[in-house]
Amino acid sequence: MKRKIGLALLVLAAAALLLTGYFHFLAPKPQAGTKSVTVQVVIPKSNINQTFHFTSSRSTVADLLKDEQDALKPATENGPYGLYITGMLGVQADSSKEYFNIKVDGKDATVGVSELPLENGKTYRFTLTSL
């Protein structure tokens, strides 16, 4: 019995160490300075496909969304993993069957907008997607 508990604690400690290592060494880091970025919003059900170009010195996509509320009209909620996008350009996602997928230069984002660094020259695409 003691052996199983010890093994379980060892596994938990190893998992915690791996997560800490990821966030410290491998997770995307914000860039300093002014960045020029593109934000694309695609909402197929409303035939919306709009592209915006912004210049910002902010460090995360969440900060950019706050700064550009007039243009992007984002709707957000605070969730357990940070800011959750529930709407863009005045179109609200039906949380029971759709969500806003985020891609950076065509690749799925690995973190939410609160953690997603704003990087010069990147394209951030928000697509309303069915579950």
Side-chain angles (χ1 to χ4, degrees):
M1 181 71 167
K2 288 183 181 181
R3 198 171 191 182
K4 286 182 181 180
I5 292 173
L7 184 60
L9 289 174
L10 182 63
V11 169
L12 285 174
L17 186 61
L18 286 172
L19 281 174
T20 301
Y22 170 77
F23 284 112
H24 186 70
F25 296 108
L26 300 175
K29 306 277 189 288
Q31 287 180 342
T34 302
K35 296 158 276 290
S36 178
V37 299
T38 301
V39 174
Q40 186 177 17
V41 180
V42 179
I43 305 173
K45 71 179 185 180
S46 300
N47 292 323
I48 294 173
N49 186 346
Q50 290 190 1
T51 302
F52 303 87
H53 302 283
F54 300 111
T55 301
S56 177
S57 59
R58 304 291 260 160
S59 60
T60 66
V61 173
D63 293 335
L64 177 72
L65 292 176
K66 289 176 191 170
D67 290 349
E68 301 299 340
Q69 283 185 4
D70 291 342
L72 297 172
K73 298 175 185 64
T76 60
E77 290 179 10
N78 284 319
Y81 304 108
L83 207 59
Y84 182 72
I85 306 299
T86 59
M88 293 290 280
L89 299 179
V91 177
Q92 194 70 23
D94 179 346
S95 63
S96 67
K97 61 182 176 182
E98 52 193 13
Y99 68 100
F100 277 92
N101 177 274
I102 305 166
K103 292 188 182 242
V104 181
D105 285 345
K107 297 179 185 172
D108 284 327
T110 57
V111 293
V113 293
S114 300
E115 304 271 327
L116 189 58
L118 198 58
E119 297 179 78
N120 190 46
K122 299 281 185 181
T123 297
Y124 300 89
R125 182 177 177 159
F126 295 83
T127 304
L128 187 61
T129 306
S130 297
L131 292 173

PDB file of all heavy atoms in Angstrom, residues 72-102:
ATOM      1  N   LEU A  72     -13.159  45.179 -33.635  1.00  0.00           N
ATOM      2  CA  LEU A  72     -13.390  43.732 -33.590  1.00  0.00           C
ATOM      3  C   LEU A  72     -14.654  43.323 -32.836  1.00  0.00           C
ATOM      4  O   LEU A  72     -15.161  42.225 -33.027  1.00  0.00           O
ATOM      5  CB  LEU A  72     -12.180  43.031 -32.967  1.00  0.00           C
ATOM      6  CG  LEU A  72     -10.881  43.182 -33.744  1.00  0.00           C
ATOM      7  CD1 LEU A  72      -9.710  42.619 -32.945  1.00  0.00           C
ATOM      8  CD2 LEU A  72     -10.982  42.500 -35.091  1.00  0.00           C
ATOM      9  N   LYS A  73     -15.129  44.180 -31.958  1.00  0.00           N
ATOM     10  CA  LYS A  73     -16.315  43.906 -31.144  1.00  0.00           C
ATOM     11  C   LYS A  73     -16.269  42.507 -30.511  1.00  0.00           C
ATOM     12  O   LYS A  73     -17.188  41.708 -30.665  1.00  0.00           O
ATOM     13  CB  LYS A  73     -17.581  44.058 -31.985  1.00  0.00           C
ATOM     14  CG  LYS A  73     -17.783  45.452 -32.533  1.00  0.00           C
ATOM     15  CD  LYS A  73     -18.975  45.497 -33.457  1.00  0.00           C
ATOM     16  CE  LYS A  73     -19.140  46.845 -34.108  1.00  0.00           C
ATOM     17  NZ  LYS A  73     -18.074  47.239 -34.994  1.00  0.00           N
ATOM     18  N   PRO A  74     -15.186  42.201 -29.778  1.00  0.00           N
ATOM     19  CA  PRO A  74     -15.107  40.872 -29.169  1.00  0.00           C
ATOM     20  C   PRO A  74     -16.020  40.762 -27.952  1.00  0.00           C
ATOM     21  O   PRO A  74     -16.238  41.729 -27.230  1.00  0.00           O
ATOM     22  CB  PRO A  74     -13.641  40.775 -28.744  1.00  0.00           C
ATOM     23  CG  PRO A  74     -13.257  42.192 -28.455  1.00  0.00           C
ATOM     24  CD  PRO A  74     -14.023  43.024 -29.451  1.00  0.00           C
ATOM     25  N   ALA A  75     -16.569  39.576 -27.773  1.00  0.00           N
ATOM     26  CA  ALA A  75     -17.303  39.244 -26.547  1.00  0.00           C
ATOM     27  C   ALA A  75     -16.476  38.165 -25.863  1.00  0.00           C
ATOM     28  O   ALA A  75     -16.029  37.222 -26.507  1.00  0.00           O
ATOM     29  CB  ALA A  75     -18.701  38.740 -26.884  1.00  0.00           C
ATOM     30  N   THR A  76     -16.236  38.336 -24.579  1.00  0.00           N
ATOM     31  CA  THR A  76     -15.371  37.400 -23.859  1.00  0.00           C
ATOM     32  C   THR A  76     -15.972  37.034 -22.517  1.00  0.00           C
ATOM     33  O   THR A  76     -16.840  37.737 -21.991  1.00  0.00           O
ATOM     34  CB  THR A  76     -13.976  38.011 -23.626  1.00  0.00           C
ATOM     35  OG1 THR A  76     -14.119  39.204 -22.844  1.00  0.00           O
ATOM     36  CG2 THR A  76     -13.276  38.341 -24.934  1.00  0.00           C
ATOM     37  N   GLU A  77     -15.487  35.907 -22.001  1.00  0.00           N
ATOM     38  CA  GLU A  77     -15.823  35.471 -20.644  1.00  0.00           C
ATOM     39  C   GLU A  77     -14.540  34.994 -19.993  1.00  0.00           C
ATOM     40  O   GLU A  77     -13.657  34.467 -20.665  1.00  0.00           O
ATOM     41  CB  GLU A  77     -16.807  34.297 -20.675  1.00  0.00           C
ATOM     42  CG  GLU A  77     -18.191  34.638 -21.126  1.00  0.00           C
ATOM     43  CD  GLU A  77     -19.111  33.418 -21.148  1.00  0.00           C
ATOM     44  OE1 GLU A  77     -18.719  32.346 -20.625  1.00  0.00           O
ATOM     45  OE2 GLU A  77     -20.212  33.548 -21.687  1.00  0.00           O
ATOM     46  N   ASN A  78     -14.442  35.178 -18.694  1.00  0.00           N
ATOM     47  CA  ASN A  78     -13.315  34.613 -17.956  1.00  0.00           C
ATOM     48  C   ASN A  78     -13.636  33.169 -17.638  1.00  0.00           C
ATOM     49  O   ASN A  78     -14.671  32.874 -17.059  1.00  0.00           O
ATOM     50  CB  ASN A  78     -13.047  35.390 -16.667  1.00  0.00           C
ATOM     51  CG  ASN A  78     -12.358  36.699 -16.942  1.00  0.00           C
ATOM     52  OD1 ASN A  78     -11.460  36.756 -17.772  1.00  0.00           O
ATOM     53  ND2 ASN A  78     -12.779  37.751 -16.272  1.00  0.00           N
ATOM     54  N   GLY A  79     -12.743  32.286 -18.049  1.00  0.00           N
ATOM     55  CA  GLY A  79     -12.921  30.864 -17.789  1.00  0.00           C
ATOM     56  C   GLY A  79     -11.790  30.347 -16.929  1.00  0.00           C
ATOM     57  O   GLY A  79     -10.897  31.105 -16.528  1.00  0.00           O
ATOM     58  N   PRO A  80     -11.785  29.062 -16.664  1.00  0.00           N
ATOM     59  CA  PRO A  80     -10.743  28.487 -15.811  1.00  0.00           C
ATOM     60  C   PRO A  80      -9.348  28.551 -16.444  1.00  0.00           C
ATOM     61  O   PRO A  80      -8.355  28.437 -15.752  1.00  0.00           O
ATOM     62  CB  PRO A  80     -11.197  27.043 -15.608  1.00  0.00           C
ATOM     63  CG  PRO A  80     -12.138  26.772 -16.728  1.00  0.00           C
ATOM     64  CD  PRO A  80     -12.760  28.074 -17.094  1.00  0.00           C
ATOM     65  N   TYR A  81      -9.281  28.728 -17.759  1.00  0.00           N
ATOM     66  CA  TYR A  81      -7.989  28.763 -18.455  1.00  0.00           C
ATOM     67  C   TYR A  81      -7.693  30.143 -19.034  1.00  0.00           C
ATOM     68  O   TYR A  81      -6.877  30.292 -19.918  1.00  0.00           O
ATOM     69  CB  TYR A  81      -7.965  27.713 -19.569  1.00  0.00           C
ATOM     70  CG  TYR A  81      -8.255  26.335 -19.048  1.00  0.00           C
ATOM     71  CD1 TYR A  81      -9.468  25.721 -19.320  1.00  0.00           C
ATOM     72  CD2 TYR A  81      -7.341  25.674 -18.240  1.00  0.00           C
ATOM     73  CE1 TYR A  81      -9.744  24.463 -18.817  1.00  0.00           C
ATOM     74  CE2 TYR A  81      -7.615  24.420 -17.735  1.00  0.00           C
ATOM     75  CZ  TYR A  81      -8.813  23.816 -18.028  1.00  0.00           C
ATOM     76  OH  TYR A  81      -9.090  22.577 -17.526  1.00  0.00           O
ATOM     77  N   GLY A  82      -8.381  31.165 -18.544  1.00  0.00           N
ATOM     78  CA  GLY A  82      -8.155  32.518 -19.032  1.00  0.00           C
ATOM     79  C   GLY A  82      -9.358  33.028 -19.793  1.00  0.00           C
ATOM     80  O   GLY A  82     -10.468  32.521 -19.662  1.00  0.00           O
ATOM     81  N   LEU A  83      -9.115  34.035 -20.613  1.00  0.00           N
ATOM     82  CA  LEU A  83     -10.173  34.680 -21.380  1.00  0.00           C
ATOM     83  C   LEU A  83     -10.678  33.754 -22.478  1.00  0.00           C
ATOM     84  O   LEU A  83      -9.889  33.150 -23.199  1.00  0.00           O
ATOM     85  CB  LEU A  83      -9.611  35.963 -21.993  1.00  0.00           C
ATOM     86  CG  LEU A  83     -10.586  37.083 -22.289  1.00  0.00           C
ATOM     87  CD1 LEU A  83     -11.295  37.524 -21.017  1.00  0.00           C
ATOM     88  CD2 LEU A  83      -9.840  38.258 -22.878  1.00  0.00           C
ATOM     89  N   TYR A  84     -11.987  33.640 -22.616  1.00  0.00           N
ATOM     90  CA  TYR A  84     -12.629  32.778 -23.604  1.00  0.00           C
ATOM     91  C   TYR A  84     -13.409  33.668 -24.561  1.00  0.00           C
ATOM     92  O   TYR A  84     -14.204  34.502 -24.137  1.00  0.00           O
ATOM     93  CB  TYR A  84     -13.551  31.795 -22.876  1.00  0.00           C
ATOM     94  CG  TYR A  84     -14.242  30.812 -23.779  1.00  0.00           C
ATOM     95  CD1 TYR A  84     -13.535  29.779 -24.376  1.00  0.00           C
ATOM     96  CD2 TYR A  84     -15.604  30.921 -24.036  1.00  0.00           C
ATOM     97  CE1 TYR A  84     -14.166  28.876 -25.201  1.00  0.00           C
ATOM     98  CE2 TYR A  84     -16.245  30.021 -24.865  1.00  0.00           C
ATOM     99  CZ  TYR A  84     -15.520  28.998 -25.447  1.00  0.00           C
ATOM    100  OH  TYR A  84     -16.150  28.105 -26.282  1.00  0.00           O
ATOM    101  N   ILE A  85     -13.169  33.509 -25.861  1.00  0.00           N
ATOM    102  CA  ILE A  85     -13.844  34.316 -26.877  1.00  0.00           C
ATOM    103  C   ILE A  85     -15.223  33.722 -27.140  1.00  0.00           C
ATOM    104  O   ILE A  85     -15.344  32.570 -27.551  1.00  0.00           O
ATOM    105  CB  ILE A  85     -13.035  34.348 -28.198  1.00  0.00           C
ATOM    106  CG1 ILE A  85     -11.607  34.813 -27.962  1.00  0.00           C
ATOM    107  CG2 ILE A  85     -13.745  35.196 -29.241  1.00  0.00           C
ATOM    108  CD1 ILE A  85     -11.480  36.196 -27.393  1.00  0.00           C
ATOM    109  N   THR A  86     -16.267  34.509 -26.918  1.00  0.00           N
ATOM    110  CA  THR A  86     -17.635  34.034 -27.147  1.00  0.00           C
ATOM    111  C   THR A  86     -18.304  34.743 -28.320  1.00  0.00           C
ATOM    112  O   THR A  86     -19.369  34.319 -28.761  1.00  0.00           O
ATOM    113  CB  THR A  86     -18.502  34.228 -25.894  1.00  0.00           C
ATOM    114  OG1 THR A  86     -18.530  35.625 -25.561  1.00  0.00           O
ATOM    115  CG2 THR A  86     -17.962  33.425 -24.723  1.00  0.00           C
ATOM    116  N   GLY A  87     -17.677  35.799 -28.827  1.00  0.00           N
ATOM    117  CA  GLY A  87     -18.254  36.510 -29.962  1.00  0.00           C
ATOM    118  C   GLY A  87     -17.235  37.419 -30.622  1.00  0.00           C
ATOM    119  O   GLY A  87     -16.250  37.829 -29.993  1.00  0.00           O
ATOM    120  N   MET A  88     -17.449  37.676 -31.899  1.00  0.00           N
ATOM    121  CA  MET A  88     -16.606  38.607 -32.663  1.00  0.00           C
ATOM    122  C   MET A  88     -17.503  39.337 -33.655  1.00  0.00           C
ATOM    123  O   MET A  88     -18.452  38.748 -34.192  1.00  0.00           O
ATOM    124  CB  MET A  88     -15.506  37.869 -33.430  1.00  0.00           C
ATOM    125  CG  MET A  88     -14.453  37.200 -32.559  1.00  0.00           C
ATOM    126  SD  MET A  88     -13.357  38.337 -31.715  1.00  0.00           S
ATOM    127  CE  MET A  88     -12.229  38.755 -33.011  1.00  0.00           C
ATOM    128  N   LEU A  89     -17.196  40.601 -33.899  1.00  0.00           N
ATOM    129  CA  LEU A  89     -17.928  41.436 -34.843  1.00  0.00           C
ATOM    130  C   LEU A  89     -19.430  41.429 -34.579  1.00  0.00           C
ATOM    131  O   LEU A  89     -20.241  41.473 -35.499  1.00  0.00           O
ATOM    132  CB  LEU A  89     -17.645  41.007 -36.290  1.00  0.00           C
ATOM    133  CG  LEU A  89     -16.194  41.096 -36.736  1.00  0.00           C
ATOM    134  CD1 LEU A  89     -16.040  40.615 -38.158  1.00  0.00           C
ATOM    135  CD2 LEU A  89     -15.660  42.507 -36.592  1.00  0.00           C
ATOM    136  N   GLY A  90     -19.793  41.326 -33.312  1.00  0.00           N
ATOM    137  CA  GLY A  90     -21.196  41.363 -32.926  1.00  0.00           C
ATOM    138  C   GLY A  90     -21.930  40.042 -33.078  1.00  0.00           C
ATOM    139  O   GLY A  90     -23.115  39.962 -32.786  1.00  0.00           O
ATOM    140  N   VAL A  91     -21.249  38.988 -33.536  1.00  0.00           N
ATOM    141  CA  VAL A  91     -21.873  37.672 -33.684  1.00  0.00           C
ATOM    142  C   VAL A  91     -21.475  36.814 -32.484  1.00  0.00           C
ATOM    143  O   VAL A  91     -20.297  36.623 -32.229  1.00  0.00           O
ATOM    144  CB  VAL A  91     -21.439  36.988 -35.003  1.00  0.00           C
ATOM    145  CG1 VAL A  91     -22.042  35.596 -35.096  1.00  0.00           C
ATOM    146  CG2 VAL A  91     -21.831  37.834 -36.199  1.00  0.00           C
ATOM    147  N   GLN A  92     -22.486  36.330 -31.773  1.00  0.00           N
ATOM    148  CA  GLN A  92     -22.268  35.531 -30.574  1.00  0.00           C
ATOM    149  C   GLN A  92     -22.288  34.042 -30.926  1.00  0.00           C
ATOM    150  O   GLN A  92     -23.165  33.589 -31.660  1.00  0.00           O
ATOM    151  CB  GLN A  92     -23.380  35.843 -29.559  1.00  0.00           C
ATOM    152  CG  GLN A  92     -23.119  35.366 -28.173  1.00  0.00           C
ATOM    153  CD  GLN A  92     -22.026  36.144 -27.470  1.00  0.00           C
ATOM    154  OE1 GLN A  92     -21.720  37.275 -27.794  1.00  0.00           O
ATOM    155  NE2 GLN A  92     -21.420  35.510 -26.496  1.00  0.00           N
ATOM    156  N   ALA A  93     -21.329  33.287 -30.406  1.00  0.00           N
ATOM    157  CA  ALA A  93     -21.300  31.835 -30.608  1.00  0.00           C
ATOM    158  C   ALA A  93     -22.352  31.174 -29.726  1.00  0.00           C
ATOM    159  O   ALA A  93     -22.562  31.588 -28.596  1.00  0.00           O
ATOM    160  CB  ALA A  93     -19.920  31.284 -30.271  1.00  0.00           C
ATOM    161  N   ASP A  94     -23.017  30.151 -30.252  1.00  0.00           N
ATOM    162  CA  ASP A  94     -23.929  29.334 -29.463  1.00  0.00           C
ATOM    163  C   ASP A  94     -23.064  28.293 -28.759  1.00  0.00           C
ATOM    164  O   ASP A  94     -22.602  27.339 -29.383  1.00  0.00           O
ATOM    165  CB  ASP A  94     -24.955  28.661 -30.371  1.00  0.00           C
ATOM    166  CG  ASP A  94     -25.936  27.777 -29.616  1.00  0.00           C
ATOM    167  OD1 ASP A  94     -25.679  27.462 -28.425  1.00  0.00           O
ATOM    168  OD2 ASP A  94     -26.948  27.380 -30.215  1.00  0.00           O
ATOM    169  N   SER A  95     -22.814  28.481 -27.475  1.00  0.00           N
ATOM    170  CA  SER A  95     -21.849  27.651 -26.745  1.00  0.00           C
ATOM    171  C   SER A  95     -22.212  26.166 -26.720  1.00  0.00           C
ATOM    172  O   SER A  95     -21.350  25.332 -26.445  1.00  0.00           O
ATOM    173  CB  SER A  95     -21.662  28.163 -25.322  1.00  0.00           C
ATOM    174  OG  SER A  95     -22.875  28.069 -24.615  1.00  0.00           O
ATOM    175  N   SER A  96     -23.448  25.829 -27.033  1.00  0.00           N
ATOM    176  CA  SER A  96     -23.831  24.417 -27.033  1.00  0.00           C
ATOM    177  C   SER A  96     -23.395  23.706 -28.314  1.00  0.00           C
ATOM    178  O   SER A  96     -23.359  22.479 -28.357  1.00  0.00           O
ATOM    179  CB  SER A  96     -25.346  24.265 -26.859  1.00  0.00           C
ATOM    180  OG  SER A  96     -26.030  24.769 -28.007  1.00  0.00           O
ATOM    181  N   LYS A  97     -23.043  24.491 -29.363  1.00  0.00           N
ATOM    182  CA  LYS A  97     -22.686  23.823 -30.610  1.00  0.00           C
ATOM    183  C   LYS A  97     -21.584  24.487 -31.425  1.00  0.00           C
ATOM    184  O   LYS A  97     -21.219  24.002 -32.494  1.00  0.00           O
ATOM    185  CB  LYS A  97     -23.927  23.638 -31.475  1.00  0.00           C
ATOM    186  CG  LYS A  97     -24.613  24.925 -31.883  1.00  0.00           C
ATOM    187  CD  LYS A  97     -25.860  24.634 -32.685  1.00  0.00           C
ATOM    188  CE  LYS A  97     -26.584  25.925 -33.012  1.00  0.00           C
ATOM    189  NZ  LYS A  97     -27.823  25.697 -33.734  1.00  0.00           N
ATOM    190  N   GLU A  98     -21.007  25.589 -30.942  1.00  0.00           N
ATOM    191  CA  GLU A  98     -19.947  26.240 -31.705  1.00  0.00           C
ATOM    192  C   GLU A  98     -19.005  27.026 -30.802  1.00  0.00           C
ATOM    193  O   GLU A  98     -19.326  27.318 -29.654  1.00  0.00           O
ATOM    194  CB  GLU A  98     -20.532  27.142 -32.806  1.00  0.00           C
ATOM    195  CG  GLU A  98     -21.549  28.131 -32.339  1.00  0.00           C
ATOM    196  CD  GLU A  98     -22.334  28.800 -33.456  1.00  0.00           C
ATOM    197  OE1 GLU A  98     -22.289  28.355 -34.615  1.00  0.00           O
ATOM    198  OE2 GLU A  98     -23.010  29.798 -33.154  1.00  0.00           O
ATOM    199  N   TYR A  99     -17.833  27.341 -31.355  1.00  0.00           N
ATOM    200  CA  TYR A  99     -16.818  28.090 -30.624  1.00  0.00           C
ATOM    201  C   TYR A  99     -15.928  28.812 -31.630  1.00  0.00           C
ATOM    202  O   TYR A  99     -15.962  28.524 -32.820  1.00  0.00           O
ATOM    203  CB  TYR A  99     -15.966  27.151 -29.753  1.00  0.00           C
ATOM    204  CG  TYR A  99     -15.086  26.222 -30.562  1.00  0.00           C
ATOM    205  CD1 TYR A  99     -13.736  26.507 -30.748  1.00  0.00           C
ATOM    206  CD2 TYR A  99     -15.600  25.085 -31.165  1.00  0.00           C
ATOM    207  CE1 TYR A  99     -12.930  25.669 -31.512  1.00  0.00           C
ATOM    208  CE2 TYR A  99     -14.806  24.250 -31.917  1.00  0.00           C
ATOM    209  CZ  TYR A  99     -13.476  24.545 -32.089  1.00  0.00           C
ATOM    210  OH  TYR A  99     -12.687  23.727 -32.852  1.00  0.00           O
ATOM    211  N   PHE A 100     -15.132  29.743 -31.144  1.00  0.00           N
ATOM    212  CA  PHE A 100     -14.192  30.440 -32.008  1.00  0.00           C
ATOM    213  C   PHE A 100     -12.840  29.740 -31.952  1.00  0.00           C
ATOM    214  O   PHE A 100     -12.164  29.739 -30.933  1.00  0.00           O
ATOM    215  CB  PHE A 100     -14.053  31.920 -31.599  1.00  0.00           C
ATOM    216  CG  PHE A 100     -15.143  32.768 -32.169  1.00  0.00           C
ATOM    217  CD1 PHE A 100     -16.298  33.006 -31.455  1.00  0.00           C
ATOM    218  CD2 PHE A 100     -15.023  33.304 -33.443  1.00  0.00           C
ATOM    219  CE1 PHE A 100     -17.316  33.769 -31.984  1.00  0.00           C
ATOM    220  CE2 PHE A 100     -16.037  34.067 -33.984  1.00  0.00           C
ATOM    221  CZ  PHE A 100     -17.185  34.297 -33.262  1.00  0.00           C
ATOM    222  N   ASN A 101     -12.472  29.122 -33.063  1.00  0.00           N
ATOM    223  CA  ASN A 101     -11.170  28.469 -33.209  1.00  0.00           C
ATOM    224  C   ASN A 101     -10.145  29.554 -33.524  1.00  0.00           C
ATOM    225  O   ASN A 101     -10.412  30.444 -34.337  1.00  0.00           O
ATOM    226  CB  ASN A 101     -11.234  27.443 -34.335  1.00  0.00           C
ATOM    227  CG  ASN A 101      -9.901  26.791 -34.592  1.00  0.00           C
ATOM    228  OD1 ASN A 101      -9.094  27.312 -35.345  1.00  0.00           O
ATOM    229  ND2 ASN A 101      -9.663  25.663 -33.972  1.00  0.00           N
ATOM    230  N   ILE A 102      -8.975  29.462 -32.907  1.00  0.00           N
ATOM    231  CA  ILE A 102      -7.926  30.467 -33.119  1.00  0.00           C
ATOM    232  C   ILE A 102      -6.742  29.799 -33.792  1.00  0.00           C
ATOM    233  O   ILE A 102      -6.238  28.784 -33.312  1.00  0.00           O
ATOM    234  CB  ILE A 102      -7.488  31.104 -31.791  1.00  0.00           C
ATOM    235  CG1 ILE A 102      -8.693  31.675 -31.059  1.00  0.00           C
ATOM    236  CG2 ILE A 102      -6.438  32.180 -32.038  1.00  0.00           C
ATOM    237  CD1 ILE A 102      -8.430  32.014 -29.611  1.00  0.00           C
TER     238      ILE A 102
END
